[in-house]
């Protein structure tokens, strides 16, 4: 990957993390590693289901959240991998400060 592409990709990740709602979703999913449904996430962060779904779609496009069809509903969880776990760990450190 070219250096310019890495910088652009990094900037996109920071843009994803620059929204408080998306960070709250990531923390909720971190606390529930087996995944959560939209209504559970919405209730946890105090937002409407549609607004939560919109933010989840943004996080999924960014590769931080994965979804799995569970019958009629969709289960969301953090995307497995060191990148996502590293970002969550960094956010946790900032959150503690």
């Amino acid at each position: 990957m070219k250096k310019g592409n890495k910088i652009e990709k990094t900037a996109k990740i920071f843009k994803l993390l620059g929204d408080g709602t998306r960070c709250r979703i990531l923390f909720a999913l971190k606390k529930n590693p087996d995944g959560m449904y939209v209504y559970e996430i919405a209730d946890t962060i105090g937002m409407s289901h549609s607004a939560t779904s919109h933010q989840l779609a943004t996080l999924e496009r960014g590769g931080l959240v994965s979804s799995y069809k569970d019958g009629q509903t969709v289960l969301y969880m953090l995307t497995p991998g060191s990148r996502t776990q590293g970002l969550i760990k960094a956010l946790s450190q900032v959150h503690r400060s």
Side-chain angles (χ1 to χ4, degrees), residues 51-94:
T52 302
S53 291
H54 173 75
Q55 296 298 339
L56 283 164
T58 300
L59 288 166
E60 193 168 18
R61 282 191 306 274
L64 299 179
V65 170
S66 299
S67 64
Y68 302 93
K69 190 97 166 149
D70 184 19
Q72 297 275 336
T73 58
V74 179
L75 186 68
Y76 290 91
M77 59 188 59
L78 293 177
T79 299
S82 59
R83 181 182 86 163
T84 302
Q85 297 305 319
L87 288 169
I88 297 300
K89 186 175 181 178
L91 283 175
S92 296
Q93 292 296 322
V94 170

Side-chain angles (χ1 to χ4, degrees), residues 23-37:
C23 287
R24 288 196 306 275
I25 290 171
L26 292 173
F27 281 123
L29 291 173
K30 179 184 181 237
K31 291 179 184 178
N32 296 280
D34 293 331
M36 297 175 77
Y37 298 104

Side-chain angles (χ1 to χ4, degrees), residues 30-46:
K30 179 184 181 237
K31 291 179 184 178
N32 296 280
D34 293 331
M36 297 175 77
Y37 298 104
V38 173
Y39 71 89
E40 293 173 315
I41 298 168
D43 290 347
T44 299
I45 65 171

